[in-house]
Amino acid sequence: MKYGFCKEFSTPMKTEVDYDLIRAIKEAGFDFVEMRAMLVASLTDEEFEKLASLLEELELGCDCSCALFPRTIRVTGSEVSEDEVAAYLEKTFSRLARLGAKKVVFGSAPARALDESTTEEMGYAQMAALCRKVIVPACEKYDITVVIEPLRATACNFIHTLAEGMRVVKAVNHPRIQLLGDTIHMMSNEDNVEDIKTYAASLKHFHIAELERILPEDGYSDYVQTALGNLKAIGYEGTISFETKNGSGVESMKKALTLLKNTMNK
């Protein structure tokens, strides 16, 4: 199993790379940093080369990336442009592949949120069609798997539970489109934690966070403990990341990583 730390909520720097955080992730002992895909895509060529050089220098992987689409690229509704999505993915996936990414998280609440004219059925049909026609070919080209992320209802009005995420996975029916579980979204939606076992075959990445994005350093809530127990029960050997704040910094991150490794390896 590989353990990562996600940049998304651990730094206020959303439009530029937090190099101090990347160094802290390496110092804390993580296997990879989970970069924001939309950030990687927005960098100038010079900025991207700087990021790639640092990760190579640190020997720090970027096995997974989150935040696939920016709000300006719609994936549901009347403004979806397959050509725009394809052009964005070409640039984004080519860069992520250069960083070593094998999985990309498809959360992207603003991009996928349903507008007033789009029903849930229409949204599922659009998402599945876009995956089949545009996303899967890009995945195949760059050897990347996209994992669908169910989001809490307060963040997005579409795809909230593992079962709903699986509607997309099953509709696409391609190994390049799989599922992600995230404890903060699952807890917030009161998702059935036993569905980790139900959808074990499709679960390819997992995010750990307590409510309020708290980094668990000394123990877990009952829900997160049960989720981790279910991951162990299915023999999960995929990637797992903290998508949290970073506590008091490196020492907090080290404690959280040690706790997680001890929990998963008991």
Side-chain angles (χ1 to χ4, degrees):
M1 186 180 299
K2 284 191 173 183
Y3 299 89
F5 199 92
C6 183
K7 184 180 178 295
E8 180 76 343
F9 297 99
S10 51
T11 174
M13 298 170 64
K14 302 301 182 185
T15 59
E16 57 186 299
V17 178
D18 188 336
Y19 288 103
D20 288 339
L21 175 62
I22 290 176
R23 292 186 178 92
I25 290 169
K26 174 64 177 181
E27 184 180 347
F30 288 93
D31 299 309
F32 65 92
V33 54
E34 187 167 324
M35 296 292 300
R36 303 175 80 226
M38 68 177 77
L39 171 60
V40 172
S42 72
L43 298 175
T44 66
D45 289 344
E46 183 180 3
E47 290 168 339
F48 175 72
E49 291 300 329
K50 180 180 177 181
L51 171 62
S53 295
L54 178 65
L55 294 183
E56 184 177 358
E57 175 190 327
L58 294 177
E59 297 183 338
L60 181 64
C62 181
D63 298 54
C64 302
S65 178
C66 65
L68 175 53
F69 291 109
R71 65 176 61 246
T72 54
I73 296 183
R74 294 290 301 159
V75 298
T76 64
S78 60
E79 298 179 5
V80 177
S81 167
E82 293 179 358
D83 289 343
E84 183 181 32
V85 173
Y88 172 78
L89 290 179
E90 173 61 29
K91 178 179 182 180
T92 305
F93 280 11
S94 65
R95 286 185 167 186
L96 291 176
R98 166 94 180 274
L99 300 181
K102 295 297 184 182
K103 301 171 193 173
V104 181
V105 178
F106 189 170
S108 308
R112 86 180 193 211
L114 303 180
D115 59 28
E116 293 182 355
S117 65
T118 306
T119 65
E120 278 197 359
E121 290 302 317
M122 293 166 62
Y124 280 115
Q126 281 188 302
M127 285 263 296
L130 190 70
C131 285
R132 285 192 297 267
K133 294 174 65 177
V134 183
I135 297 178
V136 165
C139 287
E140 295 271 74
K141 181 177 180 178
Y142 289 105
D143 191 21
I144 283 172
T145 297
V146 164
V147 289
I148 305 296
E149 180 179 34
L151 299 171
R152 62 189 185 277
T154 55
C156 187
N157 64 358
F158 184 45
I159 308 179
H160 300 138
T161 65
L162 294 182
E164 290 172 348
M166 280 300 299
R167 281 191 62 175
V168 179
V169 175
K170 290 176 180 178
V172 178
N173 191 30
H174 193 284
R176 293 291 181 178
I177 305 297
Q178 298 292 336
L179 183 67
L180 172 143
D182 184 314
T183 57
I184 196 169
H185 297 305
M186 293 176 70
M187 281 189 286
S188 299
N189 293 327
E190 298 183 356
D191 200 355
N192 183 0
V193 74
E194 297 305 309
D195 276 350
I196 289 173
K197 297 178 180 178
T198 304
Y199 304 123
S202 296
L203 198 62
K204 301 302 180 185
H205 187 40
F206 207 84
H207 282 163
I208 298 294
E210 294 288 357
L211 294 176
E212 307 301 326
R213 296 286 174 192
I214 299 301
L215 176 67
E217 301 177 47
D218 300 307
Y220 302 110
S221 64
D222 290 344
Y223 191 100
V224 174
Q225 187 70 53
T226 301
L228 294 176
N230 286 345
L231 286 177
K232 288 182 63 178
I234 65 173
Y236 183 76
E237 290 293 340
T239 45
I240 186 167
S241 300
F242 290 101
E243 194 177 35
T244 62
K245 301 170 186 175
N246 61 3
S248 59
V250 173
E251 292 308 312
S252 291
M253 296 159 73
K254 286 180 178 179
K255 286 179 64 178
L257 179 57
T258 297
L259 175 65
L260 181 57
K261 285 184 173 181
N262 289 342
T263 300
M264 296 306 293
N265 294 326
K266 281 182 181 177

